Amino acid sequence: AQVPEGTAVVLVVGIEPDTVLVPNIVGLDEERAREQLAQANFNGTIDTRQEDSLQEAGTVAAVSPDEGQPVDPDGRITLSISTGSIALPDVTTRTEADARGVLTDAGFRDSQITTEEVDSEQPPGTVVATTPGPGSDASADTRIVLQLSGGPAEPETIAVPSVTPGAPATAALTSLRNAGFTNIAVLDEDGAEASPTDATAVGTEPGANTELQPDDRLVLVVRPNTPAGDGSTDGEGSSGQN
């Protein structure tokens, strides 16, 4: 039929004889849902069961038969009452976009989800953990943090301290250890192992201000002290005796 735009149209919905339609009760608390069923002339049995849902706790999360479906007035209807929380889905190893999709599909709002970057061997951008953790109870108000891999951490490095040539080798060695180096070799100028005792520092290899990791090999080059009486004085003494 042709009618003017804006004309009210009445829809006549057929139902099975001697049945009533389940009213819209999802989202109502249990008491209000029972009242709506009574007003719809349902006089049968109303069962309830708990259901994990992000709907407000105590409200109807689902009804069986579904809303709008016919039911015998003396039949049975089951109300699923929301617990107000669900187990947080496991989104580790997913990309941020995939993880957000899984969480929003589960009923969480995107505004609930935040991210933070952490050092990890996982590919950058991958979810390595969540707070709360997977399987934890989470409600519609729970703040969810996705920990995203930023890649491996940059190795810690230390600048090699300056060693004063001619200073006691033991003091130079202590200075290098105090700076954090743990793999220090003490060698003489010929490359042979030497003791820092009774020796003076020549320098380091690599040199001062070089950035090394704490366990990188660092060489303290020393010059053994010349024992008293050694050197050209012996020749002078012999000449004097002649």
Side-chain angles (χ1 to χ4, degrees):
Q2 297 293 323
V3 296
E5 183 177 350
T7 301
V9 177
V10 178
L11 299 180
V12 180
V13 180
I15 64 172
E16 298 178 19
D18 300 323
T19 62
V20 297
L21 295 180
V22 178
N24 296 330
I25 55 176
V26 172
L28 302 179
D29 61 37
E30 182 181 345
E31 181 180 356
R32 182 62 178 151
R34 288 179 179 273
E35 292 175 356
Q36 290 293 307
L37 289 170
Q39 291 178 15
N41 296 319
F42 178 78
N43 301 309
T45 302
I46 301 176
D47 296 327
T48 60
R49 67 182 184 86
Q50 296 292 303
E51 179 173 312
D52 291 341
S53 167
L54 293 179
Q55 291 262 20
E56 183 180 352
T59 62
V60 178
V63 58
S64 179
D66 292 335
E67 295 176 333
Q69 295 300 307
V71 62
D72 189 313
D74 296 320
R76 183 182 296 272
I77 287 179
T78 301
L79 303 180
S80 298
I81 306 301
S82 174
T83 61
S85 65
I86 64 172
L88 190 69
D90 187 356
V91 295
T92 54
T93 73
R94 295 178 179 268
T95 64
E96 178 185 352
D98 286 347
R100 285 182 179 273
V102 170
L103 294 173
T104 53
D105 287 347
F108 296 101
R109 302 183 308 278
D110 191 66
S111 59
Q112 288 178 254
I113 307 168
T114 59
T115 62
E116 65 180 19
E117 189 174 283
V118 296
D119 296 330
S120 170
E121 297 296 329
Q122 296 292 329
T126 302
V127 178
V128 297
T130 60
T131 304
S136 301
D137 285 342
S139 71
D141 297 324
T142 300
R143 179 174 175 265
I144 302 170
V145 180
L146 304 179
Q147 297 180 359
L148 303 178
S149 171
E154 290 294 328
E156 177 188 0
T157 60
I158 306 171
V160 176
S162 177
V163 171
T164 303
T170 52
L173 182 61
T174 299
S175 174
L176 297 175
R177 287 173 174 166
N178 289 342
F181 292 102
T182 59
N183 184 13
I184 305 171
V186 181
L187 306 179
D188 63 20
E189 294 172 289
D190 294 326
E193 291 187 9
S195 170
T197 306
D198 293 329
T200 56
V202 175
T204 59
E205 295 180 359
N209 299 319
T210 302
E211 293 287 335
L212 298 178
Q213 295 181 40
D215 59 351
D216 284 344
R217 188 171 188 267
L218 176 62
V219 175
L220 172 62
V221 181
V222 301
R223 178 180 297 126
N225 294 331
T226 302
D230 286 358
S232 59
T233 54
D234 289 343
E236 293 174 358
S238 299
S239 176
Q241 291 175 359
N242 291 336

